[in-house]
Amino acid sequence: MNEEVFKQVEFVFRQVFKRPDLLIRPEDTATDIAGWDSLTHMTLINELEIFFKITFTFEEVTSFKNTGDLVKLVTQKIS
């Protein structure tokens, strides 16, 4: 996993969840992070698209199972 991308994704998580101390792990899911509901999920996706200047398809948005999958997807998109 690309550590630099992981840290950048973590930064976006901190901004979206308004928790500057938030630490994510590759295995984290929505049930592991307080406040990660469907609305926050879409906000997170939107902010990642803006931050990385990428676009996700609907299938991609609904495909990842954890933050590690999300980081891998972002890494693929920016490569």
Side-chain angles (χ1 to χ4, degrees):
M1 180 173 307
N2 186 315
E3 191 64 30
E4 181 179 336
V5 175
F6 186 87
K7 290 296 180 189
Q8 291 172 325
V9 169
E10 186 174 63
F11 173 79
V12 174
F13 267 79
R14 289 174 177 171
Q15 300 299 309
V16 169
F17 290 95
K18 297 176 178 41
R19 292 179 46 200
D21 61 336
L22 179 63
L23 298 174
I24 61 172
R25 300 167 300 161
E27 64 273 13
D28 283 342
T29 66
T31 59
D32 298 314
I33 299 177
W36 192 351
D37 57 19
S38 58
L39 180 58
T40 310
H41 182 79
M42 294 313 299
T43 302
L44 177 63
I45 295 301
N46 184 59
E47 292 300 318
L48 287 168
E49 287 179 328
I50 293 168
F51 185 88
F52 288 102
K53 297 178 176 67
I54 58 176
T55 303
F56 294 108
T57 66
F58 176 77
E59 290 78 17
E60 290 169 334
V61 170
T62 60
S63 69
F64 66 88
K65 304 295 183 222
N66 55 42
T67 55
D69 289 348
L70 177 58
V71 171
K72 288 176 190 171
L73 182 57
V74 169
T75 301
Q76 290 171 359
K77 294 232 171 238
I78 64 174
S79 296

